[in-house]
Amino acid sequence: LIMQLCLINASLSAELLVTLSPCLCRLGGILSKYKDIEGVVKIEEVDGEELVKKFAEEMEQMLGRKMKSVKRLAEAAEDADFYHEYNETLEFDYYNSMLINTVDEDGNQLPLGGEFPLEKNEHFNKLPVNTQQSNIQVPTNVYNKDPDILNGVYMSETLNDVFIENFQKDSSLTWQYFGSATGFFRLYPGIQWIPDENGVVTYDCRTRNWYIQAATSPKDVVIVVDVSGSMKGLRLTIAKHTINTILDTLGENDFVNIIAYSDYVRYVEPCFRGTLVQADLDNREVTHNTYTSKAAALGQGSLCNQAIMLITDGAMEDFQDVFEEFNWPERRVRVFTYLIGREMTFAENVKWIACNNKGYYTHISTLADVQENVMEYLHVLSRPMVINHDHDIIWTEAYMDSVLFNSQAQSLLLMTSVAMPVFSKKEETLSHGILLGVVGTDVALRELMRLAPRYKLGVHGYAFLITNNGYILSHPDLRPLYKEGKKLKPKPNYNSVDLSEVEWEDTEEKLRTAMVKGETGTLTLDVRTSVDKGRRVMFQKNDYFYTIINETPFSLGIVLTRGYGQYIFIGNVSVEEGLDDLLAPDLIIANEWTYCETDIDPAHRKLSQLQAVVRYLSGKEPDLECDVELLQQTLFDAVVTAPMEAYWTALMLNTSGVDEGIETLVGFSLSLFLSLHRSFLTSTDKENMFTLDHFPVWYRRAAEHPAGQFLYYMPRQDNRGRGDTFTKQTHTHRHTNTLFAFLFPICPVIKLLCFCLLLSSQDIECYVIDNNGFVLISKQRNNVSLHTQAHTRTDTELEWFLVSDLIKKGDILQPCDTEYPSFIYEPSIKETNSIIKCGRCQKMFVVQQIPESNLLMLVVQADCDCSRQNVSTLLLLLLDPGAHNDSVKCERMRSQKIRRRPESCHAYHPQENADDCGGASFASLSASLFISCLSFSALAS
């Protein structure tokens, strides 16, 4: 049988070469044109060290402009407050963003409403905005005519002019804002605020990360919660809500742990006994039925502010001897107390604890009291910074502001915010350290990453950003969304994904450690890169170049792949010649790329990239800021590929074979796209909106395929219940370190298909598979694009896409490690054969490589069925959430990663007046509890 199959394959190879030869002729015109101008081109090696420094400098300049804007806002707000005299009876109408352009039943404008012109603006994600005015948002639980609100809004009116001036100086600015300590939020440009389905606005600027980080230095917080018998019913509910609210005020530079006590003391998460947990988004998750804090990263603490939060319904003593021994006289550990419930019998002791440890006491009798009372501790912690007038600028981690905007386009953008505190400069209030609020602006990370254009890094190259904690700001493998029905939603821990989770070949974490420390350097790694949603893998050697972005907590890295990615191809043609070919009907430039900045001047914002390029090159819009290097390469590529139009015109006269269209992405400089009937990126290619300048899968694979060979690829989305399947065929050609990649429909009269179908019978089955083991040709149509393993698996093998589908159906959103088998054929093996044992029978198979392609022919005996092996037990074992070792999980969570602490810390000031410690106002509480809590300060130090 094997000899018979080998003879068939030998004749098949010759037939295939005859079939493919017409496709090769299509290269002739381009190669000839390239030879004509070869003398005016040059190839330069990419200097990764210089490139990463250049990108970092440009990012520093861009972010520097945002910081200057924020500084101007802070200065203006402080000056306005300095000259403003508080008026208890002030009456003042302002534009409330929830009430504007709204009338009552009689058609009258609502109070604090009125006409507020709005116009859709491309720069602000097509939202209706007013670029001439800001307006005010007030949470529903804050009275919008409270004297503090009215005085603050009146005082901050002066910021309108500064908002507009900032936008004129830097038109790449997006949202600018002032968040007041009293609760109102001034936003520019002004918008219509949309409440939730109950007509409620829960957004409170004081709970946002940019506000909290700017208002306080990093914090070590131990939450001590009373769980004695009296804490039940409403009191327990209020206590849980208080814990959640405190946790919401913490960020990735803060550390936390939770201790419960009744007759004895216990850690709510035993795994975190005796340590502090980094308070990133994932770690702050607390269930409603227990106090469990889910944490994945531990640390020694922030080494700055230290506080104990005591949540109780009473305290029978004040523990003065404990505080005298462990916390006085410096009182470095502040104690904040929260008295839960309506009872006030023993409130004096609870207040005494806070007031004698530079903290703050509050009484929380209802759920509605929680938010305002918890926020008070932030103002207390800010006092040393305010008294010293330390205007630290902070940058937040990546986040999606889906709370602020209901517009999906806006809410799914990853962004970072830069913010600065605003202080009272009045002499009479200096020792009280009054924080007026925080000013800030947003920076869309995709705009920042445009400064590291992909065309300079090669088809596999990319740039990425991380924070001082090692978390990803931007990375091609960051996938922060999941689908729930038709909606995209952020994953619970989308902004606390560590670099080690995507650059996982960095097993010793040398790259991560160097970048977190803010170092500049290089590193080389052998990597396995997945493409096509992880279904395929490529082996590459990557060079990493990294450096810090000054004045920020961020570090930038770029990746260049050895081989294709080491060099850049530079050609030069005249503008006149290039423009003529650039306007050919078969040519498209990728609109996702930035050839010209159309966002700076409002008059340019409606231009497509091609329109902007043509206007700039023709001299009609000389003020456009365009990438001259990219345009030069684009014109060159347009000229070199011009012969394709004539060939395609002739080809269209005979439409057989081109029904599905022809695509060519020319890889001299990766600058343009030639097409008939098809688009540059498929819907699958576009799924990850967080990856800029991405390339189609067929092109990425072709770049690593041997020169001169055809690569066949079955797109998964093209064959699910849509009639005939379609196979893509790519041909690669390299010349002096350049790459052409052409995508054709499969060449006419593929005799390979006929051979395989004729071979399949009751005795044998025939498949044509690609180098990753996926079926391209089979007698059974349903097999096409499935993995070979689906047909030949044994009881020790698990077909990978079945697992993937099951996980997807289960909507498992917890972080996990999942292993997917991936296969790649060794090209040096031209032919192999063996025997598969399937229970009581065995089957023979033979595999032979098909020349000049990535294809193999697989022929197996059909009279021994291996496909019905029982894999359900293995599936259940893999997917059962209980099938793991808790001790291993705990040990892994205890593994500590290097992080870089923020440089500034404002935890103490000798002039602080701590007399303001809350209003007038108990559970059995042991002295040993406070000793253990105060010991945390020693641990964190």
Side-chain angles (χ1 to χ4, degrees):
L1 174 66
I2 290 177
M3 289 194 63
Q4 178 188 8
L5 296 178
C6 289
L7 288 172
I8 293 172
N9 273 359
S11 62
L12 180 64
S13 300
E15 291 283 354
L16 181 65
L17 287 175
V18 173
T19 303
L20 298 181
S21 58
C23 300
L24 294 170
C25 298
R26 304 180 183 185
L27 297 175
I30 287 186
L31 294 178
S32 175
K33 183 68 174 180
Y34 171 74
K35 288 289 184 183
D36 292 341
I37 56 175
E38 190 173 10
V40 298
V41 301
K42 59 181 179 178
I43 296 164
E44 294 182 355
E45 187 169 1
V46 178
D47 188 332
E49 294 182 58
E50 286 300 316
L51 204 56
V52 75
K53 289 178 182 177
K54 179 176 179 292
F55 290 162
E57 287 172 0
E58 292 178 351
M59 290 181 179
E60 182 185 336
Q61 291 171 8
M62 176 190 177
L63 299 179
R65 291 193 294 271
K66 315 306 176 196
M67 289 188 281
K68 288 180 180 177
S69 296
V70 168
K71 288 178 181 177
R72 285 191 287 266
L73 289 172
E75 291 170 1
E78 290 181 353
D79 288 345
D81 174 74
F82 185 78
Y83 293 106
H84 172 72
E85 292 188 11
Y86 188 89
N87 182 355
E88 184 73 35
T89 60
L90 177 67
E91 293 184 4
F92 176 67
D93 288 331
Y94 61 89
Y95 286 112
N96 186 302
S97 58
M98 188 173 167
L99 303 175
I100 57 171
N101 303 330
T102 307
V103 295
D104 59 19
E105 295 177 354
D106 299 325
N108 299 317
Q109 297 282 351
L110 296 178
L112 302 183
E115 293 185 11
F116 192 79
L118 298 172
E119 184 179 351
K120 285 189 176 182
N121 191 302
E122 294 281 336
H123 183 65
F124 293 94
N125 301 92
K126 300 180 181 179
L127 285 174
V129 300
N130 185 327
T131 56
Q132 299 304 310
Q133 283 183 296
S134 62
N135 59 6
I136 304 296
Q137 177 266 340
V138 183
T140 301
N141 65 327
V142 176
Y143 178 43
N144 58 26
K145 288 188 178 182
D146 183 276
D148 288 345
I149 297 292
L150 292 177
N151 277 268
V153 172
Y154 179 81
M155 175 273 294
S156 63
E157 281 283 294
T158 187
L159 294 181
N160 265 320
D161 293 338
V162 186
F163 287 141
I164 296 172
E165 180 186 355
N166 282 343
F167 192 44
Q168 290 172 344
K169 289 182 177 180
D170 179 8
S171 56
S172 67
L173 276 173
T174 55
W175 308 100
Q176 301 176 68
Y177 38 81
F178 169 61
S180 168
T182 59
F184 74 82
F185 181 56
R186 181 178 289 278
L187 179 66
Y188 172 87
I191 64 168
Q192 174 92 47
W193 201 280
I194 309 298
D196 63 20
E197 61 274 10
N198 300 313
V200 174
V201 175
T202 59
Y203 180 90
D204 189 328
C205 63
R206 297 168 297 177
T207 66
R208 307 303 287 175
N209 224 350
W210 52 267
Y211 185 100
I212 294 166
Q213 288 188 38
T216 61
S217 297
K219 305 174 284 298
D220 296 324
V221 175
V222 179
I223 301 174
V224 180
V225 58
D226 183 351
V227 291
S228 60
S230 60
M231 287 284 285
K232 57 186 177 182
L234 179 60
R235 291 182 181 183
L236 183 60
T237 302
I238 295 172
K240 287 181 179 180
H241 187 36
T242 302
I243 293 174
N244 283 325
T245 306
I246 293 172
L247 290 173
D248 285 342
T249 65
L250 305 179
E252 63 181 44
N253 289 317
D254 303 320
F255 287 77
V256 67
N257 206 333
I258 306 176
I259 296 175
Y261 74 92
S262 52
D263 294 333
Y264 63 95
V265 176
R266 64 181 174 86
Y267 291 86
V268 296
E269 173 53 73
C271 185
F272 304 139
R273 182 178 182 85
T275 190
L276 289 170
V277 180
Q278 191 172 3
D280 57 31
L281 184 66
D282 190 37
N283 301 349
R284 299 195 308 264
E285 288 183 0
V286 178
T287 64
H288 292 290
N289 296 324
T290 69
Y291 299 112
T292 303
S293 174
K294 299 180 181 179
L298 306 180
Q300 292 289 318
S302 69
L303 306 186
C304 191
N305 281 306
Q306 296 171 345
I308 295 172
M309 309 296 200
L310 173 61
I311 301 170
T312 180
D313 62 352
M316 303 178 82
E317 55 180 302
D318 56 24
F319 311 104
Q320 181 171 344
D321 55 338
V322 177
F323 292 117
E324 284 180 347
E325 180 177 355
F326 291 96
N327 202 37
W328 294 357
E330 291 87 358
R331 294 171 171 80
R332 297 283 182 175
V333 179
R334 299 177 188 264
V335 182
F336 298 87
T337 56
Y338 303 89
L339 182 64
I340 306 298
R342 299 187 182 278
E343 292 293 328
M344 301 286 291
T345 309
F346 304 106
E348 285 302 318
N349 283 353
V350 181
K351 180 182 178 184
W352 186 95
I353 292 172
C355 292
N356 285 276
N357 289 279
K358 296 175 70 174
Y360 200 88
Y361 156 81
T362 58
H363 178 214
I364 305 177
S365 58
T366 68
L367 285 171
D369 297 335
V370 172
Q371 183 74 48
E372 286 295 319
N373 286 321
V374 167
M375 297 309 298
E376 289 294 338
Y377 96 87
L378 294 174
H379 301 148
V380 174
L381 292 185
S382 70
R383 287 173 184 165
M385 176 178 64
V386 177
I387 295 171
N388 211 38
H389 276 69
D390 291 313
H391 287 86
D392 295 334
I393 288 185
I394 63 96
W395 290 90
T396 68
E397 70 272 24
Y399 69 96
M400 299 178 204
D401 208 342
S402 54
V403 177
L404 178 55
F405 298 106
N406 289 334
S407 163
Q408 181 163 318
Q410 171 68 25
S411 65
L412 296 183
L413 279 178
L414 276 175
M415 61 184 73
T416 180
S417 293
V418 54
M420 176 183 283
V422 177
F423 311 137
S424 171
K425 298 194 296 185
K426 296 176 179 178
E427 286 294 328
E428 63 269 24
T429 62
L430 181 62
S431 64
H432 294 274
I434 296 178
L435 175 75
L436 299 175
V438 173
V439 289
T441 185
D442 295 338
V443 180
L445 287 170
R446 66 181 303 154
E447 298 303 318
L448 187 62
M449 296 309 291
R450 288 186 193 277
L451 300 176
R454 192 68 171 268
Y455 80 90
K456 293 187 177 183
L457 303 173
V459 64
H460 300 307
Y462 55 90
F464 60 96
L465 286 167
I466 67 169
T467 69
N468 57 299
N469 289 299
Y471 296 148
I472 294 170
L473 276 172
S474 179
H475 192 287
D477 286 335
L478 177 62
R479 294 179 292 275
L481 303 176
Y482 73 98
K483 267 191 176 181
E484 189 175 273
K486 293 184 178 179
K487 291 185 177 180
L488 288 172
K489 292 190 174 182
K491 296 175 183 176
N493 66 333
Y494 71 91
N495 64 354
S496 57
V497 178
D498 197 88
L499 180 66
S500 60
E501 296 180 52
V502 291
E503 296 291 349
W504 46 273
E505 284 89 353
D506 182 29
T507 53
E508 297 179 9
E509 297 194 353
K510 292 181 179 179
L511 174 67
R512 183 193 181 280
T513 299
M515 293 187 69
V516 166
K517 288 183 176 180
E519 297 175 356
T520 297
T522 65
L523 183 69
T524 300
L525 293 173
D526 291 311
V527 302
R528 286 160 289 181
T529 302
S530 65
V531 294
D532 201 9
K533 292 187 175 181
R535 298 164 74 228
R536 304 177 188 274
V537 66
M538 296 185 297
F539 295 86
Q540 298 167 337
K541 184 178 285 292
N542 284 349
D543 292 321
Y544 293 80
F545 305 88
Y546 50 86
T547 191
I548 192 171
I549 301 178
N550 294 323
E551 306 299 325
T552 77
F554 309 144
S555 288
L556 170 69
I558 65 170
V559 177
L560 298 177
T561 301
R562 293 280 178 92
Y564 190 67
Q566 282 182 281
Y567 303 91
I568 189 166
F569 188 92
I570 300 175
N572 190 18
V573 295
S574 69
V575 172
E576 293 76 13
E577 183 182 12
L579 259 180
D580 185 59
D581 289 325
L582 193 63
L583 295 173
D586 61 326
L587 187 147
I588 303 170
I589 62 174
N591 218 40
E592 294 90 348
W593 291 27
T594 304
Y595 300 82
C596 294
E597 290 289 349
T598 57
D599 204 33
I600 297 175
D601 188 334
H604 297 149
R605 287 179 184 147
K606 294 185 179 181
L607 295 177
S608 68
Q609 282 295 310
L610 181 58
Q611 289 171 332
V613 167
V614 172
R615 286 173 178 264
Y616 175 78
L617 292 175
S618 62
K620 294 180 180 178
E621 297 281 356
D623 294 333
L624 272 166
E625 290 189 14
C626 298
D627 189 328
V628 176
E629 183 179 341
L630 177 57
L631 291 184
Q632 178 184 336
Q633 296 178 17
T634 304
L635 294 179
F636 175 80
D637 289 349
V639 171
V640 173
T641 57
M644 290 300 292
E645 182 184 5
Y647 174 77
W648 281 341
T649 301
L651 192 67
M652 290 299 290
L653 297 176
N654 180 8
T655 57
S656 62
V658 294
D659 293 340
E660 297 291 345
I662 301 172
E663 303 174 20
T664 304
L665 182 64
V666 181
F668 291 113
S669 57
L670 314 177
S671 62
L672 56 80
F673 177 60
L674 304 177
S675 173
L676 282 183
H677 310 315
R678 297 180 66 84
S679 61
F680 175 60
L681 295 175
T682 67
S683 58
T684 303
D685 294 323
K686 294 177 180 178
E687 277 186 6
N688 188 354
M689 67 177 67
F690 306 99
T691 304
L692 294 177
D693 299 350
H694 37 228
F695 298 92
V697 172
W698 60 266
Y699 188 81
R700 292 195 65 192
R701 294 188 64 210
E704 294 304 308
H705 201 57
Q709 292 195 12
F710 284 91
L711 183 142
Y712 293 82
Y713 163 54
M714 176 67 71
R716 190 179 188 186
Q717 74 276 11
D718 286 347
N719 69 324
R720 290 293 174 95
R722 288 170 55 180
D724 293 338
T725 61
F726 171 66
T727 302
K728 290 186 176 180
Q729 168 189 322
T730 304
H731 184 274
T732 57
H733 173 77
R734 286 185 179 82
H735 179 81
T736 326
N737 296 307
T738 66
L739 171 71
F740 305 80
F742 302 91
L743 177 63
F744 307 107
I746 198 132
C747 288
V749 198
I750 290 292
K751 298 176 182 175
L752 181 58
L753 173 62
C754 300
F755 274 108
C756 209
L757 295 180
L758 288 173
L759 279 173
S760 296
S761 65
Q762 291 183 347
D763 298 326
I764 62 173
E765 293 175 342
C766 175
Y767 307 94
V768 174
I769 63 177
D770 66 16
N771 57 317
N772 294 121
F774 290 94
V775 178
L776 270 71
I777 297 175
S778 168
K779 189 174 183 179
Q780 293 78 31
R781 179 181 299 274
N782 290 340
N783 289 342
V784 177
S785 90
L786 296 187
H787 206 283
T788 317
Q789 197 173 359
H791 313 291
T792 60
R793 62 183 174 224
T794 68
D795 58 353
T796 60
E797 294 173 329
L798 187 62
E799 204 283 313
W800 71 271
F801 66 85
L802 179 58
V803 178
S804 176
D805 288 344
L806 284 174
I807 291 176
K808 181 179 179 182
K809 289 176 183 176
D811 284 331
I812 298 174
L813 298 178
Q814 297 177 0
C816 62
D817 289 334
T818 307
E819 180 178 295
Y820 297 101
S822 188
F823 303 91
I824 187 165
Y825 188 75
E826 171 53 54
S828 63
I829 300 176
K830 305 301 181 184
E831 180 184 322
T832 188
N833 60 79
S834 188
I835 293 174
I836 302 173
K837 293 183 178 181
C838 300
R840 297 181 179 179
C841 68
Q842 61 183 25
K843 65 192 327 180
M844 301 174 64
F845 73 89
V846 61
V847 179
Q848 188 178 55
Q849 192 178 108
I850 299 173
E852 310 299 330
S853 75
N854 67 317
L855 301 181
L856 303 103
M857 176 168 275
L858 167 66
V859 181
V860 299
Q861 280 182 277
D863 56 356
C864 178
D865 188 3
C866 296
S867 64
R868 296 181 182 179
Q869 297 281 340
N870 186 3
V871 297
S872 59
T873 303
L874 188 57
L875 273 173
L876 290 174
L877 180 65
L878 179 66
L879 297 178
D880 181 8
H884 62 272
N885 188 316
D886 283 336
S887 63
V888 173
K889 171 189 172 185
C890 184
E891 185 61 31
R892 177 175 177 179
M893 291 195 301
R894 280 186 168 274
S895 62
Q896 299 195 19
K897 293 185 181 296
I898 292 176
R899 57 184 293 271
R900 185 172 82 251
R901 291 181 174 85
E903 295 179 359
S904 62
C905 173
H906 310 287
Y908 173 78
H909 198 286
Q911 297 177 18
E912 177 185 348
N913 183 344
D915 292 342
D916 181 10
C917 58
S921 285
F922 199 119
S924 178
L925 185 64
S926 67
S928 62
L929 172 62
F930 269 114
I931 292 173
S932 64
C933 293
L934 289 169
S935 296
F936 260 103
S937 65
L939 170 71
S941 300

